[in-house]
Amino acid sequence: MAELRLPLRRRRRTLGLWLLGVTILVFFFISPVIGLLAEWPWFSALGYERVFATRLVASFTLGVLAGGVAFAFLYANLRFAQRGIVPNPVVIQANAQTPAVDVTRLVRRLALPSALAFALFLALAVSTDWMPVLQFLHQTPFGVTDPVFGRDLAYYVFTLPIVTGVLAISTVLVTLSLLACGALYALRGDVVVYRRTVTIEPSARLHLGLLIAAMFVLTALRIFFVRLPGTLYSTTGPLFGASFADLHGRLLGLRIAGAAAILGAVLVLAGLRSKLLGRTALLAVGIYFGVSLLGVVIYPAVVQKLVVAPNELSKETPQLRRHIDATRRAWGLDSVLVRDLSGEARLTERDIQANRPTIDNVRLWDRDPLLQTFGQLQEIRTYYDFVSVDDDRYVVDGRYRQVMLSPRELNSASLPTRTFINERLTFTHGMGLTLGPVNEVTEEGLPVLFIKDLPPASSVSLAVKRPEIYFGELTDNWVFANTGQQEFDYPSGDENIFGTYKGNGGVEVGGLLRRLVLAAYFRSLKVLLSSDITSASRAMYIRNIRARAHAALPFLIFDADPYMVIDGGGRLRWILDAYTATTRYPYAQPLSNGINYMRNSVKVVIDAYDGSVTAYQADSADPLVRTFAKIFPGIFHPLDSMPADLRAHLRYPEDLFHVQTELYGTYHMAEPDIFYHREDQWQKPVLSIAPERPDPFLRHMVMRLPEEKQAEFILMVPFTPRGKDNLASWMVARNDGAHYGELVVYRFPKQSLVFGPTQIVNRINQDTEIARQIALWDQGGSQVIRGNLLVIPIEESLIYVMPLYLRAQGGRIPELKRVVVAYQNRVVMEETLDAGLAQLFGGPGAATRAPVRVSETRAAGSAVSARAADLARRANESFRRAMEAQRAGDWARYGEELRRLEDVLRQLQAAVEERKP
């Protein structure tokens, strides 16, 4: 029986090993193959086959090359160490009943699979670094040399990573071979340790000596080609980059350490003829580490403490200049235009009227309250969601207007019944958007909407003709279009309107083979069995626009805020800002993630209906994007070829502007001595209450810049001196026309006092009338929501605007109820912006030019209402001036103001009579 059980156990063991092998095969090979088979038609449908093929060929070639070299080197060393006959093999026998095991022979058999396993592991690891290799092969010069070694910066960005990687892999291979061969020689008895004496067989001594010498040579190469250039990224001094101690201490120490490593290799090779290889190797190691400790660690520290520290500014001035210049170049701050303001300008009613485009586009709706309002008024069904609100500008009925819009996307997780047909075939897309001006409200305090409802209806010259959103920010699931099931479009009363997809987006299902691939890729047997899915159906996957852009262009970094645009044909398109970046720019200040060079070199446009991805090269001077263009020829289109209706909506990216403004607060100080002392450091305004957004003062607006003739769409942020509240300057990124991308800083004189946001907020909080009104609302159970404080440049001065929203108890819809306006040391609160400006600056017509509060039926009686409002404002002004004259004892002016008040009241009565039918 025992003899019969043994074959049975062997069969079970063989079956188990076979199943394990099949599982490993499926996990490591079948699943990736399915992924590749599903990705190929996806890339082909987009026209990005070159990206897919280049990535596949490059990663496979690199993996095979690295794995082949690793296998050949390891296996050759292991086989050389196991050559010949072992006179005294190591034999292990567990007990008398089991056969003895020759460990030496077993190790010999493991040499091949061990070398193969490590080579496979290395090949898989190295194959993911295909992009740096292609960048190295297609590199583009920067045209700028580093100030220490005189190399073009392309060496540090493209070449140095490859040199570092090759030397690192070589060091790992040599180290692993040395350890493995040393263990094998000890196992074979070729290395014997007896009474502190190491005896090594001659051929083993030659082999191990060559490996040890190779280690020293690789160490010397790493010092000269990696660590020496790496001093340009040093952080030991008061700056990022090589400091005085690095240049006059560490570089010398590294060169001596490199020479010591070469000397160590020579000593080891010289010791091969004697029997003292071990002592020679230890001597070489001791010399190297001793020299490294003295030259690389101790000597630079002594230089820093005794030479630099007592005279740091004078010693570090050249390095500080290099650091400042490099940082400004790397982050595009060297091209910032600086314009000085007089700081003495006083605004008048005439200035307000001359800047009506700015006043007419003051953004009174903050994103968060507006998003909540859109969600309550325009989601319509529970499975629709508004994800974000974007700023943009359009010519609306002949006027240049700033608007806020939000796409209405489908949230499949909120479907009432989540079946395969509902999720994958019927509810496939969002529908339209909501769009309105930034500064108009209805009589109920709700936003005026130019485009609203389902299907999207427009009350202005803008129109949405293709409202379906198959690709968006919220869409992250796969669906099938053009199937046997009609697709839900929108609700209409008690009925639902359905439609059929008519575009060419997605991947055509085609024959059985592709259907099998899609079923395996989606892990859904229903894809294979559903009769609704036909060969003409289109599979849509990777529909999230950020994931889609990253999959098509994996070598770019994308801005966190994509935005939607209505093109000239009424089609919805997404625009994403894409960046090229590196962590290898010498001397430039890095971010927390290590990036110290960035350019917004690519604009990506994704069609919301068919998912097409078009990449436009926005920066022809950037060496990184030019390198990518060489690697993937034809993938980038020139920016000039972008349709004019899309180009008119390009925005300067917020993420980049946020970083640039953070850095510019320090790096506007171009002189090393001022920079070192931080004499004129700026910061963004700091509020006592933490804002909801990380950068609350960074915002888009339409305004006319000082000395410019036309209003334009800009991105703006103010600065205050570090640790102070008054305003020092404000910086804009221009977005329109030929000025796109220009950065301009407007500086106030240092001797002038311009109130900053914190000071204005304090004045608002101290205003008794505002505090009384807010207290009344709070006592009534309503929630008062303070909007973000807006900094509005007018000519060479500033006004501040803060909207106040009211949310009723138990309600979810914020309503705009008041607008606080501040100028210099005066603060007023009115129902409308124009009324507030009239209180501050006076003048007829200030409240009639652009009413903020309008009804949805704005046409009836507008002229008479405007005249009555103007007369009421003038009456209020006359009464206020009369009271002021009374308190001052100026009775002559008091009587004059009363006569004016009487005249205005007669006119107001006449205007009221005109409105009677």
Side-chain angles (χ1 to χ4, degrees):
M1 288 295 293
E3 294 178 357
L4 291 175
R5 288 175 185 170
L6 188 58
L8 182 59
R9 290 177 181 174
R10 289 179 178 174
R11 289 176 185 174
R12 289 177 179 174
R13 187 181 301 168
T14 303
L15 180 60
L17 291 174
W18 185 82
L19 290 175
L20 179 62
V22 170
T23 302
I24 293 175
L25 181 67
V26 170
F27 182 79
F28 282 102
F29 295 101
I30 302 301
S31 181
V33 167
I34 296 244
L36 291 175
L37 292 176
E39 288 174 7
W40 170 250
W42 186 88
F43 277 92
S44 298
L46 289 180
Y48 283 71
E49 303 96 326
R50 182 178 289 277
V51 175
F52 179 85
T54 301
R55 183 191 68 183
L56 186 63
V57 172
S59 59
F60 178 79
T61 303
L62 184 60
V64 169
L65 183 62
V69 170
F71 171 75
F73 187 83
L74 282 176
Y75 188 63
N77 278 279
L78 293 176
R79 290 297 297 171
F80 185 83
Q82 293 176 327
R83 71 198 183 287
I85 299 173
V86 181
N88 297 308
V90 178
V91 178
I92 298 177
Q93 187 174 14
N95 52 59
Q97 285 74 32
T98 59
V101 178
D102 187 345
V103 176
T104 309
R105 180 176 297 178
L106 178 62
V107 171
R108 181 190 296 268
R109 292 177 179 176
L110 291 176
L112 179 61
S114 299
L116 281 174
F118 180 81
L120 178 61
F121 173 79
L122 184 67
L124 293 175
V126 172
S127 64
T128 59
D129 289 331
W130 56 276
M131 179 52 72
V133 174
L134 292 180
Q135 287 181 289
F136 166 71
L137 296 175
H138 299 85
Q139 61 183 273
T140 302
F142 275 69
V144 178
T145 58
D146 79 89
V148 178
F149 301 103
R151 297 189 181 104
D152 188 274
L153 299 190
Y155 173 82
Y156 302 93
V157 176
F158 302 121
T159 303
L160 187 57
I162 302 303
V163 173
T164 303
V166 170
L167 291 177
I169 293 172
S170 302
T171 302
V172 168
L173 290 176
V174 173
T175 303
L176 189 61
S177 298
L178 180 61
L179 295 176
C181 292
L184 284 174
Y185 282 129
L187 185 66
R188 289 166 54 91
D190 293 333
V191 177
V192 179
V193 180
Y194 181 72
R195 292 184 179 180
R196 297 183 180 179
T197 302
V198 180
T199 304
I200 306 176
E201 187 268 335
S203 60
R205 184 169 63 244
L206 175 64
H207 187 192
L208 295 176
L210 289 175
L211 289 175
I212 295 172
M215 285 288 294
F216 277 106
V217 171
L218 289 173
T219 300
L221 292 176
R222 288 183 65 243
I223 289 174
F224 288 118
F225 293 101
V226 177
R227 295 183 65 184
L228 280 176
T231 56
L232 299 185
Y233 309 103
S234 173
T235 57
T236 57
L239 52 98
F240 182 85
S243 64
F244 183 92
D246 291 320
L247 296 176
H248 297 85
R250 192 176 304 276
L251 286 182
L252 177 61
L254 284 172
R255 291 188 175 103
I256 295 175
I262 295 175
L263 177 62
V266 173
L267 288 176
V268 170
L269 292 176
L272 293 178
R273 296 183 180 181
S274 67
K275 297 181 180 181
L276 303 177
L277 175 62
R279 294 183 180 179
T280 306
L282 289 176
L283 176 63
V285 171
I287 292 174
Y288 169 73
F289 280 106
V291 169
S292 297
L293 179 63
L294 291 173
V296 182
V297 178
I298 296 178
Y299 179 62
V302 171
V303 171
Q304 176 66 32
K305 189 172 184 62
L306 300 182
V307 178
V308 177
N311 309 281
E312 189 172 50
L313 178 56
S314 61
K315 296 297 183 182
E316 298 289 8
T317 293
Q319 291 73 244
L320 284 171
R321 188 175 299 279
R322 295 169 182 174
H323 171 68
I324 295 170
D325 293 344
T327 301
R328 289 167 64 93
R329 280 197 308 269
W331 291 104
L333 303 178
D334 56 333
S335 59
V336 174
L337 302 176
V338 179
R339 296 178 182 174
D340 291 319
L341 303 173
S342 66
E344 301 175 355
R346 294 185 60 87
L347 292 181
T348 64
E349 188 270 338
R350 179 177 297 179
D351 295 321
I352 298 298
Q353 297 304 322
N355 287 270
R356 288 312 305 184
T358 301
I359 302 301
D360 291 344
N361 289 283
V362 172
R363 198 179 94 180
L364 298 180
W365 282 104
D366 286 345
R367 290 181 178 180
D368 291 338
L370 190 61
L371 189 62
Q372 296 173 31
T373 303
F374 283 171
Q376 293 299 310
L377 300 180
Q378 285 291 305
E379 282 184 359
I380 299 176
R381 292 289 176 91
T382 58
Y383 40 78
Y384 286 128
D385 271 348
F386 291 102
V387 180
S388 62
V389 176
D390 293 315
D391 294 271
D392 207 344
R393 69 284 197 198
Y394 288 85
V395 177
V396 178
D397 295 335
R399 295 175 60 196
Y400 190 67
R401 302 292 301 273
Q402 183 177 350
V403 301
M404 302 185 78
L405 59 91
S406 185
R408 185 185 293 104
E409 298 196 50
L410 180 74
N411 185 356
S412 60
S414 299
L415 290 173
T417 54
R418 300 183 62 184
T419 63
F420 175 79
I421 291 179
N422 273 357
E423 280 196 82
R424 310 300 183 183
L425 308 182
T426 302
F427 292 89
T428 57
H429 57 274
M431 177 63 66
L433 51 77
T434 298
L435 181 148
V438 296
N439 69 329
E440 292 186 12
V441 296
T442 67
E443 293 177 345
E444 296 80 19
L446 301 176
V448 170
L449 300 179
F450 289 161
I451 301 177
K452 62 181 180 178
D453 298 337
L454 288 174
S458 174
S459 60
V460 293
S461 55
L462 289 175
V464 178
K465 299 179 181 178
R466 177 58 75 185
E468 299 89 344
I469 302 176
Y470 284 86
F471 302 86
E473 293 184 85
L474 195 60
T475 50
D476 57 357
N477 61 335
W478 51 270
V479 298
F480 284 85
N482 193 25
T483 65
Q485 293 286 332
Q486 284 194 315
E487 299 174 49
F488 174 80
D489 269 350
Y490 57 88
S492 178
D494 295 331
E495 298 181 353
N496 290 332
I497 306 300
F498 294 85
T500 302
Y501 185 71
K502 299 178 181 179
N504 56 358
V507 174
E508 191 174 31
V509 172
L512 179 61
L513 179 60
R514 181 170 291 176
R515 191 160 175 163
L516 282 168
V517 169
L518 292 174
Y521 183 70
F522 298 142
R523 298 180 181 180
S524 174
L525 189 61
K526 295 177 182 177
V527 173
L528 187 63
L529 302 178
S530 175
S531 59
D532 291 319
I533 300 176
T534 67
S535 60
S537 299
R538 308 195 73 86
M540 296 184 177
Y541 46 104
I542 314 182
R543 296 196 298 148
N544 179 277
I545 54 173
R546 278 189 287 263
R548 191 173 186 85
H550 185 266
L553 303 162
F555 42 86
L556 298 177
I557 301 172
F558 289 91
D559 192 88
D561 186 26
Y563 53 99
M564 177 169 277
V565 169
I566 307 172
D567 70 8
R571 202 176 179 101
L572 302 180
R573 300 180 187 271
W574 295 96
I575 298 181
L576 295 85
D577 288 291
Y579 306 110
T580 53
T582 182
T583 61
R584 310 293 300 180
Y585 199 99
Y587 269 110
Q589 180 67 30
L591 305 180
S592 58
N593 59 6
I595 292 176
N596 64 354
Y597 171 94
M598 180 178 283
R599 290 291 185 273
N600 175 216
S601 298
V602 179
K603 303 285 187 180
V604 178
V605 178
I606 299 181
D607 192 291
Y609 186 67
D610 62 25
S612 59
V613 179
T614 309
Y616 296 93
Q617 184 174 335
D619 188 347
S620 59
D622 175 35
L624 289 174
V625 77
R626 291 169 61 190
T627 298
F628 292 137
K630 294 177 186 178
I631 298 172
F632 308 103
I635 197 173
F636 296 122
H637 302 272
L639 189 62
D640 293 340
S641 65
M642 178 183 284
D645 54 347
L646 292 180
R647 194 166 183 180
H649 295 280
L650 293 182
R651 299 188 329 195
Y652 197 85
E654 288 190 30
D655 286 354
L656 179 59
F657 190 65
H658 170 76
V659 173
Q660 288 177 316
T661 50
E662 289 285 347
L663 290 170
Y664 194 77
T666 300
Y667 289 90
H668 73 276
M669 298 178 289
E671 293 302 319
D673 54 339
I674 299 176
F675 180 89
Y676 178 81
H677 294 295
R678 299 294 197 269
E679 295 178 9
D680 190 25
Q681 191 171 9
W682 298 341
Q683 66 181 21
K684 296 175 185 177
V686 178
L687 298 176
S688 57
I689 301 176
E692 295 182 1
R693 295 181 59 200
D695 204 342
F697 294 102
L698 188 151
R699 58 185 58 247
H700 291 93
M701 64 178 69
V702 170
M703 65 167 290
R704 182 174 67 83
L705 293 172
E707 301 180 3
E708 298 291 338
K709 296 181 179 179
Q710 298 291 332
E712 57 186 282
F713 191 61
I714 58 100
L715 183 60
M716 179 261 193
V717 70
F719 290 109
T720 64
R722 172 70 75 180
K724 297 183 179 180
D725 294 331
N726 60 290
L727 215 62
S729 62
W730 46 281
M731 185 175 186
V732 301
R734 305 179 71 175
N735 291 273
D736 288 352
H739 296 292
Y740 174 84
E742 289 183 5
L743 301 179
V744 187
V745 168
Y746 294 88
R747 298 188 304 191
F748 292 105
K750 294 182 181 180
Q751 66 273 14
S752 65
L753 175 62
V754 180
F755 289 119
T758 302
Q759 294 166 319
I760 295 297
V761 169
N762 291 336
R763 287 184 175 274
I764 293 173
N765 293 336
Q766 295 166 5
D767 188 277
T768 55
E769 177 61 25
I770 296 175
R772 184 186 64 82
Q773 183 62 65
I774 292 178
L776 288 175
W777 283 329
D778 286 335
Q779 290 173 6
S782 299
Q783 179 188 4
V784 178
I785 303 173
R786 294 193 178 202
N788 290 324
L789 183 67
L790 308 176
V791 185
I792 312 296
I794 302 289
E795 298 297 340
E796 293 195 2
S797 188
L798 297 169
I799 62 172
Y800 290 89
V801 176
M802 176 187 286
L804 295 179
Y805 310 97
L806 193 64
R807 182 157 48 203
Q809 186 175 14
R812 300 181 62 186
I813 302 179
E815 299 175 2
L816 179 61
K817 288 301 183 182
R818 294 290 187 274
V819 179
V820 179
V821 188
Y823 173 65
Q824 293 183 348
N825 59 351
R826 295 188 61 194
V827 178
V828 298
M829 181 178 70
E830 295 291 339
E831 288 192 6
T832 67
L833 173 61
D834 279 328
L837 292 172
Q839 283 284 343
L840 290 175
F841 302 105
T848 66
R849 295 291 299 272
V852 174
R853 188 172 301 277
V854 298
S855 67
E856 293 290 354
T857 57
R858 290 172 290 178
S862 60
V864 176
S865 299
R867 182 165 176 264
D870 181 38
L871 290 170
R873 181 196 58 76
R874 290 168 59 188
N876 183 63
E877 281 290 298
S878 294
F879 178 76
R880 182 180 61 82
R881 287 193 289 267
M883 293 299 99
E884 290 177 353
Q886 183 187 40
R887 286 191 293 268
D890 188 350
W891 301 107
R893 187 160 65 91
Y894 176 74
E896 182 181 350
E897 292 297 340
L898 285 182
R899 285 192 296 273
R900 289 180 180 175
L901 176 60
E902 182 181 6
D903 181 61
V904 170
L905 289 176
R906 281 198 301 269
Q907 296 180 47
L908 179 59
Q909 184 178 6
V912 172
E913 293 293 331
E914 290 180 9
R915 297 194 62 181
K916 294 181 179 180

